[in-house]
């Protein structure tokens, strides 16, 4: 026994010239560990933990080399040959990688000081490694051109401790170059992707179950379906001018092809992952793109979305930088740990590996209406770094570049495998260098990484439901009783009034008529603006026609109930909205008219004419008596439903720029509108004179009581606020693709979300519920935004985060509208393919696709009272 240069003692066996070394590792869970090597030399380098240079896993092995607070390099191995472009393997406790070409090295990730196990049996370089799914016994499979060998890890370790040579079971021979290995969920079969074929090998009988043929190029990846174990999905590439990647779904029990989907891409697919919670298939491309497919039954393996990893990374860092700029200096120092400013994103980010990531503790499901899978994430390993990708909103949660940590031994990776540990707080990543022979094992503090790059509860004080009383300095503060109170008169006038207060103005007991009473009433002038029958002129009263409660568990409409053509000729319908009681449906047309139909689309509609441009928005008052409309002529008009008469017209003399959108606000107390970059609040008074002559003299009036510019003076493209109850918050979307939340109680901007979409938002839709049902209070903090060519995003005001992204409806050139169902469980969207798409808030792809239109569907609206009906443009009703 001789003293070691490291922290421990070295024990030498003279008979075999074998060095047995006992290390006391303060960082390990165990006290001592025995390691065996033919010729071992223990050395310590300055600033690092003990480094062991051994001959049996011949290379340099470094333990616990600190490289930062977020990442720790647990070990580093220098192999004799390169191990790039090979399939590495990580499980919950172990990782496996090729060593020196034809040897397999298995490392314990929980205790790196534990003896690494080296398995030999291949004569050709190992190209693929995979772990089994069962915990005991844990299987590991390795493949090369000569053999496919299955190893039982516990048996191999026992033989190694006894001094015997571990041996595996040969599953197949001379199958060709294997690019991918996958074991079935029950470990009874292994899929070997060699060349253009997939060999299904039986692990018990060591026989070939089936050979799956049909690919035109080399099979690059394969995955078993976890809930349908007889299915396996694979991708390949052919070598034509423009490579075509074919995802295929096989029944490996029958040896038949079930589904074949062609996807055009300029680069081959390198990796696959199936997420059981969201029922989605994710595949990574060599040019840094992700393709996501839905595996839900009935979706027919439809493509949900395609994500450019480089663009997502650039957008993510811009958002992180904007959040850090708004934090105190101390917070900035904490959040920027490990992130070098000025670093450029790599030109290409090939997706080398995909792995599950559990962030349920970091990203809690705060919203009760969203299911738990809204926190489903995955690890993306590329040559430049690691990414945490959210499968619900298709956004990055964290980015970690290898070069940002100068102590990391590998700056550019050639192969990558990553896996979260139990609990999700940490993850292990196995890397091989692209240029060189280094193999490194990294331990990543995933929770700390995500928290360091997230906003610090920026929206924790925001809520649609008010939490405080109206401030006396707020523009929303008003006193109706004091406004109508007459000012006190001087004493002299008061005395005079008291004298004649109780005296009649006419001192005759009878007044003779001048003749007007005996003359029949003749209407002097009446414009023909309403073509409805007299029976339709009755004023709607919500309380008198209140129906049953809207069922919370109602299913979305799927069948056409009634269809009606609004206008003959090429007349587009730009907007549509139901009244709060569900009795009336208002439509704004491009021919300057607004129409009001009965909810059942029967009878003649009321016609509201007066605009000189296409009607852009229509909005009902809370009591259902008034209809508000804006037009491209820059005017705002307030209509009375009784007689379809104009009650108020506000033009350019009030607005500095044309009013783009307007609505009633604060339970009909104000009119909220956008004019250029300003948000304006108008107080209005409507005169309800019924005199035949005086009613044509406009006595209604309005005045601006408050205006607030947006940050950066950007033009407002859409706004939204709740009018069914008192709420202080107003949501706006800007031309610069930002979302801004205004608190009108405080009279200022409360929060800003930059780069909400890739294009300007053309509609904000809040989950306002319905007067026929009550939702949980946290439901009202949800709102959706849509932009041309960028899908629909679901946001939460409390976190100011995009919680889910809805993709699948074609919307590339024309702004298509969206709407929430009264129960808050569905979002409907128009589309350019003449269909209406129904999305469940718990899924990122559409659940129903409703046909019936002959042109682009530009707007949708749910009936607030009847769940079996849904109207949208061209006035088609669904049930």
């Amino acid at each position: 026994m001789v003293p070691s240069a490291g922290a421990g003692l070295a024990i030498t066996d003279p008979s075999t010239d074998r060095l047995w070394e006992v290390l006391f590792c303060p960082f390990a869970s165990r006290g001592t560990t025995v390691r065996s090597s033919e010729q071992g030399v223990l050395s310590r380098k300055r600033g690092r933990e003990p480094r062991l240079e051994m001959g049996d896993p011949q290379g340099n092995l470094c333990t616990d080399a600190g490289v930062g607070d977020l990442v720790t390099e647990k070990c580093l191995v220098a192999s004799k040959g390169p191990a790039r472009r090979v399939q590495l393997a990580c499980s919950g406790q172990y990782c496996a990688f090729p060593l020196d070409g034809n040897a397999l090295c298995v490392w314990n990730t929980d205790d790196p000081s534990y003896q690494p196990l080296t398995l030999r049996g291949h004569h050709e370089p190992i190209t693929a490694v995979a772990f089994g799914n069962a915990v005991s016994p844990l299987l590991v499979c390795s493949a090369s051109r000569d053999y496919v060998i299955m190893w039982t890890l516990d048996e191999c370790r026992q033989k190694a401790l006894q001094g015997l040579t571990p041996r595996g079971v040969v599953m197949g021979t001379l199958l060709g170059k294997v690019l991918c290995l996958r074991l079935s969920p029950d470990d009874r079969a292994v899929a070997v992707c060699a060349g253009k074929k997939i060999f299904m090998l039986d692990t018990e009988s060591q026989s070939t179950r089936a050979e799956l043929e049909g690919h035109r190029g080399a099979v690059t990846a394969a995955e078993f379906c976890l809930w349908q174990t007889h299915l396996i999905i694979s991708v390949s590439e052919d070598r034509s001018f423009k490579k075509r990647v074919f995802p295929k779904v096989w029944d490996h029990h029958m040896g038949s092809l079930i589904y074949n989907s062609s996807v055009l891409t300029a680069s081959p697919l390198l990796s696959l992952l199936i997420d059981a919670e969201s029922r989605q298939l994710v595949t990574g491309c060599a040019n840094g793109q992700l393709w996501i497919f839905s595996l839900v039954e009935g979706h027919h393996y439809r493509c949900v979305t395609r994500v450019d990893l480089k663009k997502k990374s650039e957008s993510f860092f811009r958002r992180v930088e904007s959040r850090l700029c708004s934090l105190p200096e101390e917070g900035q120092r904490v959040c920027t740990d490990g992130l070098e400013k000025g670093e450029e994103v790599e030109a290409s980010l090939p997706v080398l590996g995909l792995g599950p990531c559990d962030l349920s503790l970091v990203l809690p499901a705060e919203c009760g209406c969203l299911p738990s899978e809204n926190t489903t994430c995955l690890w993306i390993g590329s040559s430049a770094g690691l990414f945490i990708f959210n499968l619900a909103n298709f956004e990055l949660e964290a980015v970690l570049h290898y070069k940002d940590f100068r102590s990391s031994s590998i700056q550019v990776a050639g192969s990558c495998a990553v896996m979260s540990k139990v609990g999700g707080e940490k993850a292990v990543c196995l890397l091989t260098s692209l240029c060189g022979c280094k193999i490194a094992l990294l331990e990543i503090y995933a929770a700390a990484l995500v928290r360091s790059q997230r906003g610090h509860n920026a929206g924790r004080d925001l809520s649609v439901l008010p939490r405080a009383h109206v401030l006396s300095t707020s523009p929303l503060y008003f006193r109706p009783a004091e406004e109508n109170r007459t000012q006190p008169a001087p004493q002299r006038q008061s005395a005079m009034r008291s004298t004649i207060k109780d005296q009649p103005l006419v001192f005759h007991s009878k007044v003779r008529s001048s003749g007007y009473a005996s003359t029949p009433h003749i209407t002097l002038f009446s414009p023909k603006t309403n073509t409805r029958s007299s029976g339709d002129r009755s004023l709607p009263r919500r309380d008198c026609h209140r129906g049953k409660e809207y069922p919370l568990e109602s299913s979305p409409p799927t069948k056409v109930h009634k269809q009606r053509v609004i206008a003959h000729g090429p007349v587009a319908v730009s907007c549509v909205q139901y009244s709060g009681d569900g009795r009336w449906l208002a439509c704004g047309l491009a021919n300057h008219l607004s129409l009001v139909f009965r909810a059942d689309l029967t009878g003649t509609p009321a016609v509201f004419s007066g605009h000189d441009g296409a009607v852009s928005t229509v909005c009902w008052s809370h009591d259902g008596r008034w209809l508000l409309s804006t037009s491209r002529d820059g005017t705002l008009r307030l209509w009375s439903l009784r007689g379809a008469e104009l009650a108020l017209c506000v033009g350019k003399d009030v607005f500095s720029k044309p009013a783009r959108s307007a609505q009633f606000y604060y339970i009909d107390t104000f009119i909220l509108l956008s004019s250029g970059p300003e948000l304006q609040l108008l107080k209005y008074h409507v005169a309800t004179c019924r005199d035949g002559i005086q009613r044509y003299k406009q006595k209604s009036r309005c005045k601006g009581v408050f205006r607030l510019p947006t940050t950066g003076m950007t033009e407002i493209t859409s706004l939204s606020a709740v009018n069914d109850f008192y709420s202080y918050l107003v949501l706006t979307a800007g031309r610069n693709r930002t979302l801004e939340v205004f608190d009108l109680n405080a009279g200022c901007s409360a929060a800003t979300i930059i780069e909400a979409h890739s294009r300007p938002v053309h509609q904000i839709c809040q989950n306002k519920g319905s007067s026929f049902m009550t939702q949980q209070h946290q439901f009202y903090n949800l709102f959706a935004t849509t932009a041309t060519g960028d899908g629909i995003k679901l946001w939460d005001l409390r976190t100011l985060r995009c919680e889910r992204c809805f993709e699948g409806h074609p919307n590339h050139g024309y702004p298509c509208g969206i709407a929430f169902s009264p129960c808050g469980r569905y979002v409907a969207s128009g589309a350019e393919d003449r269909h209406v798409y129904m999305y469940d808030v718990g899924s990122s792809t559409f659940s129903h696709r409703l046909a019936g239109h002959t042109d682009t569907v530009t707007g949708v609206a749910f009936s607030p009272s009847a769940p079996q009906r849904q109207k949208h443009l061209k006035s088609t009703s669904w049930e």
Side-chain angles (χ1 to χ4, degrees):
M1 182 173 63
V2 296
S4 171
L9 298 176
I11 306 175
T12 305
D13 186 352
S15 61
T16 60
D17 197 22
R18 178 183 293 267
L19 174 66
W20 291 85
E21 184 172 40
V22 182
L23 292 178
F24 295 90
C25 302
F27 47 84
S29 58
R30 303 183 182 183
T32 62
T33 301
V34 178
R35 294 179 178 177
S36 172
S37 62
E38 298 296 335
Q39 295 177 353
V41 179
L42 182 66
S43 63
R44 177 188 293 271
K45 290 195 175 183
R46 184 176 182 181
R48 286 184 176 267
E49 296 293 339
R51 179 181 293 270
L52 178 64
E53 299 177 359
M54 302 190 304
D56 195 357
Q58 302 183 359
N60 298 331
L61 187 144
C62 163
T63 308
D64 268 9
V67 294
D69 296 334
L70 302 179
V71 179
T72 303
E73 191 175 80
K74 304 299 291 185
C75 72
L76 177 66
V77 176
S79 178
K80 289 183 177 180
R84 59 181 179 270
R85 304 304 186 208
V86 298
Q87 179 189 2
L88 308 177
C90 283
S91 67
Q93 187 179 0
Y94 298 95
C95 65
F97 52 90
L99 183 66
D100 299 336
N102 57 2
L104 178 64
C105 184
V106 181
W107 190 264
N108 191 317
T109 59
D110 291 341
D111 187 3
S113 63
Y114 201 82
Q115 169 66 34
L117 182 62
T118 304
L119 306 176
R120 301 183 183 275
H122 291 277
H123 301 289
E124 298 288 336
I126 297 176
T127 57
V129 184
F131 279 106
N133 298 288
V135 177
S136 180
L138 181 59
L139 302 179
V140 57
C141 185
S142 59
S144 62
R145 287 184 177 271
D146 52 359
Y147 299 123
V148 176
I149 303 178
M150 186 71 68
W151 312 82
T152 303
L153 199 57
D154 293 338
E155 294 180 1
C156 293
R157 185 168 294 280
Q158 289 295 330
K159 290 184 179 181
L161 293 177
Q162 295 173 6
L164 303 176
T165 301
R167 297 185 181 276
V169 178
V170 177
M171 304 293 299
T173 59
L174 302 177
L175 298 181
K177 185 177 181 180
V178 179
L179 297 181
C180 179
L181 286 173
R182 279 293 179 264
L183 275 78
S184 62
D186 55 4
D187 289 347
R188 294 184 178 181
V190 56
V192 182
C193 303
K196 301 178 183 180
K197 298 181 181 181
I198 301 177
F199 296 90
M200 302 301 303
L201 307 180
D202 192 295
T203 57
E204 296 179 355
S205 62
Q206 295 87 47
S207 60
T208 301
R209 288 186 176 182
E211 294 184 13
L212 307 180
E213 298 184 64
H215 284 290
R216 297 188 299 173
V219 182
T220 55
E223 280 284 349
F224 283 91
C225 185
L226 300 180
W227 58 94
Q228 291 179 313
T229 57
H230 64 283
L231 297 182
I232 184 172
I233 303 175
S234 60
V235 293
S236 70
E237 61 158 319
D238 60 13
R239 299 294 178 178
S240 59
F241 172 72
K242 187 168 186 178
K243 300 174 184 176
R244 184 187 299 268
V245 179
F246 289 93
K248 293 182 183 291
V249 182
W250 309 83
D251 187 336
H252 62 85
H253 288 177
M254 303 297 296
S256 59
L257 178 65
I258 297 178
Y259 182 78
N260 183 16
S261 174
S262 62
V263 177
L264 290 176
T265 177
S267 300
L269 298 180
L270 303 179
S271 52
L272 272 177
L273 179 109
I274 295 179
D275 183 73
E277 293 186 5
S278 62
R279 299 293 177 93
Q280 290 180 335
L281 167 70
V282 185
T283 177
C285 193
N287 60 357
Q289 291 186 347
L290 292 177
W291 295 81
I292 302 177
F293 299 86
S294 175
L295 301 182
V296 177
E297 185 177 358
H299 288 184
H300 306 291
Y301 308 99
R302 73 169 71 118
C303 181
V304 177
T305 187
R306 180 175 59 112
V307 177
D308 191 314
L309 198 56
K310 178 182 177 183
K311 292 182 179 179
K312 287 292 183 180
S313 180
E314 293 173 349
S315 176
F316 173 79
F317 276 110
R318 285 194 295 266
R319 291 197 303 270
V320 170
E321 184 179 359
S322 67
R323 289 197 294 262
L324 296 183
C325 292
S326 61
L327 296 176
E329 293 184 359
E330 295 181 359
Q332 294 184 28
R333 286 195 297 269
V334 174
C335 295
T336 55
D337 183 20
L339 299 177
E340 298 284 343
K341 186 176 180 180
E343 295 285 355
E344 297 181 356
V345 181
E346 294 294 326
S348 62
L349 298 171
V351 181
L352 303 178
L354 298 171
C357 180
D358 183 14
L359 291 181
S360 57
L361 299 178
V362 184
L363 304 175
E366 298 178 357
C367 185
C369 65
L370 295 180
S372 59
E373 61 260 26
N374 70 320
T375 57
T376 301
C377 298
L378 60 88
W379 283 99
I380 302 175
S382 73
S383 60
L386 297 174
F387 307 85
I388 299 180
F389 184 74
N390 194 319
L391 285 176
N393 56 21
F394 307 138
E395 296 289 344
L396 294 177
E397 298 291 346
V399 177
L400 175 65
H401 285 151
Y402 308 134
K403 62 183 179 181
D404 290 336
F405 298 88
R406 303 304 180 185
S407 300
S408 178
S409 302
I410 297 179
Q411 301 294 321
V412 181
S415 299
C416 176
V418 61
M419 174 71 70
S420 290
K421 290 187 175 182
V422 178
E425 289 288 329
K426 297 181 181 180
V428 292
C429 177
L430 188 61
L431 297 175
T432 64
S433 58
L434 180 63
C435 301
C437 302
K438 295 180 180 180
I439 303 172
L441 177 64
L442 306 180
E443 185 178 66
I444 306 161
Y445 295 83
L449 176 64
V450 173
R451 293 190 184 101
S452 67
Q453 298 180 358
R454 290 186 62 196
H456 292 255
N457 298 326
R460 62 186 183 276
D461 296 329
L462 297 180
S463 175
V464 171
L465 299 176
R467 298 178 178 176
H469 297 288
V470 181
L471 302 176
S472 59
T473 58
S474 171
L476 305 179
Y477 183 77
F478 66 96
R479 291 168 293 182
E482 295 184 8
E483 290 179 358
N484 298 330
R485 185 181 301 171
T486 306
Q487 295 293 333
Q491 294 183 359
R492 185 175 180 180
Q493 295 181 3
S494 178
M496 186 180 299
R497 290 178 181 177
S498 64
T499 305
I500 63 173
K501 177 178 180 181
D502 299 328
Q503 301 296 328
L505 296 180
V506 180
F507 297 94
H508 301 281
S509 59
K510 294 183 179 180
V511 178
R512 185 176 181 180
S513 174
S514 59
Y516 288 103
S518 60
T519 306
H521 178 74
I522 301 176
T523 303
L524 298 180
F525 174 73
S526 178
K528 189 177 181 180
T529 59
N530 187 2
T531 59
R532 291 188 304 172
S533 62
S534 59
D536 294 339
R537 296 174 182 270
S538 60
L539 184 68
R541 298 189 181 276
R542 179 179 303 181
D543 298 334
C544 298
H545 299 274
R546 184 179 178 90
K548 298 181 179 180
E549 290 288 332
Y550 194 103
L552 182 62
E553 299 299 329
S554 62
S555 58
T558 56
K559 297 180 180 180
V560 176
H561 175 67
K562 191 171 184 179
Q563 184 171 353
R564 179 167 178 172
V565 177
I566 290 180
H568 297 283
V571 178
V573 184
S574 55
C575 51
V576 61
Q577 190 182 59
Y578 270 102
S579 59
D581 55 10
R583 299 180 57 212
W584 309 96
L585 178 67
C587 302
L589 278 65
N591 61 357
H592 313 172
L593 298 179
S594 297
L595 303 180
V596 173
F597 291 86
R598 286 185 179 274
D600 56 2
L601 298 181
T602 60
T604 305
V607 181
F608 299 80
S609 62
H611 282 292
D612 295 329
V615 179
S616 56
T617 59
V618 290
C619 178
W620 289 95
S621 62
H622 179 68
D623 56 13
R625 300 172 56 192
W626 311 100
L627 181 67
L628 187 67
S629 64
T630 60
S631 172
R632 293 184 180 179
D633 60 5
T635 62
L636 180 149
R637 294 176 184 263
L638 183 64
W639 310 87
S640 172
L641 187 59
R642 180 184 296 273
E645 296 177 350
L646 179 65
L648 178 65
C649 180
V650 183
K652 300 179 181 179
D653 54 338
V654 178
F655 310 134
S656 58
K657 292 186 178 182
R660 187 178 181 91
S661 57
Q663 69 165 80
F664 290 97
Y665 177 58
Y666 217 61
I667 313 186
D668 298 344
T669 305
F670 304 96
I671 293 178
L672 183 69
L673 61 93
S674 63
S675 175
E678 289 184 339
L679 185 69
Q680 296 191 19
L681 206 61
L682 302 182
K683 191 70 185 306
Y684 66 97
H685 169 72
V686 179
T688 56
C689 180
R690 299 179 183 272
D691 185 84
I693 298 179
Q694 297 296 329
R695 66 191 179 97
Y696 293 104
K697 295 182 180 180
Q698 188 182 101
K699 293 185 178 180
S700 303
R701 62 186 183 274
C702 72
K703 65 176 182 178
V705 296
F706 184 72
R707 61 176 56 189
L708 191 64
T710 59
T711 302
M713 294 299 291
T714 181
E715 180 185 1
I716 297 176
T717 58
S718 179
L719 66 84
S720 179
V722 176
N723 186 46
D724 294 336
F725 52 85
Y726 292 116
S727 177
Y728 306 147
L729 299 185
V730 177
L731 311 178
T732 64
R735 184 68 64 182
N736 59 352
R737 302 177 293 143
T738 62
L739 296 176
E740 193 162 3
V741 183
F742 292 94
D743 186 353
L744 294 191
N745 188 30
C748 64
S749 175
T752 302
I753 304 175
I754 69 168
E755 296 190 17
H757 284 266
S758 60
R759 295 184 181 180
V761 175
H762 62 260
Q763 184 182 354
I764 302 176
C765 182
Q766 288 182 264
N767 180 29
K768 302 176 183 179
S770 169
S771 59
F772 294 85
M773 71 167 301
T774 302
Q775 300 182 19
Q776 298 180 13
H777 65 89
Q778 63 265 26
F779 282 41
Y780 297 101
N781 291 311
L782 292 179
F783 67 97
T785 59
T786 179
T788 303
D790 197 28
I792 304 171
K793 293 187 177 182
L794 183 65
W795 305 80
D796 192 336
L797 268 173
R798 297 166 299 171
T799 59
L800 294 178
R801 285 171 38 85
C802 175
E803 299 296 339
R804 187 168 291 279
C805 186
F806 304 113
E807 299 277 358
H809 60 285
N811 180 22
H812 306 293
Y814 199 92
C816 298
I818 57 176
F820 268 101
S821 64
C823 61
R825 296 174 55 231
Y826 302 101
V827 176
S829 174
E832 295 175 351
D833 63 350
R834 301 171 294 179
H835 288 79
V836 176
Y837 288 76
M838 300 290 297
Y839 293 93
D840 191 306
V841 295
S843 175
S844 296
T845 185
F846 60 90
S847 58
H848 296 84
R849 186 169 173 260
L850 312 180
H853 283 289
T854 59
D855 206 342
T856 299
V857 183
T858 56
V860 291
F862 279 92
S863 171
S865 58
Q868 73 274 11
R869 294 174 184 168
Q870 178 224 358
K871 309 287 194 308
H872 57 94
L873 293 193
K874 295 269 180 101
S875 294
T876 301
S877 175
W878 303 90
E879 68 174 12

